Amino acid sequence: MSSIFRQVRAMLRANLLGLRRRLAISVSMMLSVALVVCVLAGFLAMAAGFERTLAGTGSASVAVILGGGSNREAGSDIPAEALRGILALGGEIGVVRDTGGQLVASREVIGTTEVAAGDGAHAATLALRGMDLSGPDLRDGVALVAGRMFTPGTRELVVGLGLARQGPGGAIGGKVRLGALDWTVVGQFAAGGSAFESEVWADLDAVRAAFDRQGEVQSLRLRLAGPEAIGTLRAALGTVTATPLVVVSEAELYAGQSGRTADLIRLFGWPLALLMAVGATAGALNTMMSSVADRRVEIATLRALGFSRMAAFLATWIEASLLALIGVGIGIALSWLLFNGWQASTLGANNARMGFQLMVTGEVMAKASLLGLATGLIGGALPAIAATRLPLTAALKAGA
């Protein structure tokens, strides 16, 4: 074993010292691997950032009631009769009440609307949420950072900070045309980078009047006594109406939406990265075959001196692995510099634009690195085998 180790070390040293003669093709192999790592890391960072944004949205201590058997606000409708029955519930139902004994609740509707950019760019699709005045207080981690909250009955808007930074018309005092009417921005709120920051909030009655949705309620938010109280609430709702109602925690609602979109991003990212990995593997194969051909006389001489086939195989394969490892390092460094913290947006919850930050996490780097290393290992395997099968006599004659 020690003899093979010394042989491998000697052959690997010769291989690495000869890289200067093959510098261009060796660099191309490293850059090919780096490109594969960058592409996969970019898609995975996008999925991770999107999931992080939605996973950080919502609270387990807030219940969301949806109607019509839907598990999404966009397809929900709570009939007026069912709504009255819920708000009139007495006794212990696991929901916090105010000093007057009324449920701490917010009736809400949400829809998408377009707002034109002032610079002539394409109109942006925004999520406009109409809510009761208690709605903002039901959202944990939300804080008003500028201006004030909307006044009930008026066409006033409070804009999420993430949206205000990216979208048009987010400045305090600015006029925004939504539908056929002008609205005034009176405040901006922060929500720790969650999906809430991609919404625009307004008074429920004002939204319903402006978009001809009188009497409509898509969701009802309730403050629970604790996360475990949601079971008590579900049991109580079963006695209110025959209308199918879905009760989920706010955290569950957004987590379910994040999984679908993140899976779609990965569905596009992995095939593209694998296709590029095939090309990079071909590049690694070409690089290492050129390396073997360039050193055929050296390899044949060492073999004639008693070096084993295993030593030739391992030395060539380790060289390919080292080049791939350098490529992985370059790719990870570029991914971190280019993608981490980069602002992006996509269609999120309720089919409206949602802003989020790409996140190059440890898991993202590990998966991208494994694909890059696999590219080098697979691409270097065949040339390594070729090095063990090199005809000694022919190689020595060619070098004579």
Side-chain angles (χ1 to χ4, degrees):
M1 181 63 69
S2 60
S3 176
I4 293 179
F5 177 77
R6 287 195 297 270
Q7 291 176 13
V8 171
R9 185 175 60 182
M11 294 189 72
L12 180 60
R13 183 172 181 274
N15 293 354
L16 297 179
L17 289 175
L19 284 177
R20 293 181 181 178
R21 300 196 304 268
R22 310 181 305 279
L23 184 60
I25 197 167
S26 297
V27 169
S28 70
M29 174 185 169
M30 291 186 287
L31 292 180
S32 297
V33 172
L35 183 59
V36 171
V37 171
C38 274
V39 169
L40 182 58
F43 277 100
L44 293 181
M46 188 182 300
F50 187 84
E51 283 184 316
R52 176 68 176 270
T53 298
L54 283 180
T57 303
S59 168
S61 295
V62 174
V64 181
I65 301 177
L66 306 172
S70 174
N71 59 358
R72 299 185 65 184
E73 288 182 278
S76 169
D77 181 30
I78 303 177
E81 178 185 350
L83 184 63
R84 286 193 295 270
I86 296 170
L87 295 177
L89 280 171
E92 178 54 49
I93 61 171
V95 177
V96 175
R97 298 178 183 273
D98 60 20
T99 55
Q102 301 299 312
L103 300 179
V104 177
S106 173
R107 302 165 300 158
E108 301 185 1
V109 295
I110 189 164
T112 57
T113 184
E114 291 188 345
V115 55
D119 56 2
H122 294 294
T125 302
L126 307 179
L128 173 63
R129 183 180 293 275
M131 60 174 65
D132 289 324
L133 196 57
S134 58
D137 293 332
L138 279 169
R139 286 161 169 81
D140 295 339
V142 171
L144 196 66
V145 295
R148 59 176 175 83
M149 277 294 168
F150 54 80
T151 302
T154 63
R155 292 196 299 272
E156 294 180 341
L157 303 175
V158 181
V159 181
L161 195 58
L163 195 60
R165 289 169 176 167
Q166 297 184 23
I172 302 294
K175 298 289 184 179
V176 179
R177 193 165 188 82
L178 302 179
L181 300 171
D182 289 331
W183 298 68
T184 303
V185 177
V186 297
Q188 296 177 351
F189 66 90
S194 70
F196 291 146
E197 288 192 6
S198 295
E199 293 183 350
V200 179
W201 295 347
D203 175 63
L204 173 65
D205 291 329
V207 171
R208 293 193 296 194
F211 292 90
D212 195 23
R213 301 175 67 176
Q214 287 86 350
E216 183 178 350
V217 173
Q218 289 178 291
S219 64
L220 180 68
R221 274 175 165 76
L222 300 166
R223 171 70 67 182
L224 295 171
E228 69 286 347
I230 195 167
T232 306
L233 176 61
R234 287 194 180 108
L237 291 180
T239 65
V240 173
T241 176
T243 302
L245 298 174
V246 176
V247 185
V248 295
S249 72
E250 194 178 51
E252 290 174 338
L253 178 68
Y254 284 95
Q257 294 171 353
S258 71
R260 289 188 291 268
T261 304
D263 288 343
L264 185 61
I265 294 173
R266 294 189 184 96
L267 184 64
F268 282 101
W270 272 106
L272 180 60
L274 290 174
L275 185 62
M276 296 187 67
V278 171
T281 300
L285 178 66
N286 183 50
T287 298
M288 298 313 301
M289 289 298 287
S290 298
S291 174
V292 172
D294 182 64
R295 293 179 291 105
R296 64 186 184 278
V297 176
E298 298 173 20
I299 296 173
T301 302
L302 292 172
R303 288 288 315 285
L305 293 174
F307 280 65
S308 66
R309 290 176 181 269
M310 180 59 70
F313 173 84
L314 290 175
T316 305
W317 205 25
I318 292 173
E319 179 188 354
S321 302
L322 290 175
L323 292 175
L325 188 61
I326 296 173
V328 166
I330 295 172
I332 290 297
L334 288 176
S335 299
W336 178 269
L337 293 173
L338 295 175
F339 301 135
N340 195 53
W342 188 60
Q343 291 285 344
S345 64
T346 186
L347 288 181
N350 305 303
N351 299 318
R353 188 180 71 176
M354 191 190 81
F356 62 97
Q357 283 188 342
L358 273 66
M359 296 181 61
V360 183
T361 62
E363 182 181 0
V364 168
M365 290 188 287
K367 290 181 178 179
S369 298
L370 285 175
L371 181 61
L373 286 174
T375 298
L377 291 174
I378 295 171
L382 189 60
I385 294 173
T388 68
R389 303 173 66 88
L390 195 66
L392 301 186
T393 306
L396 291 173
K397 285 182 178 179

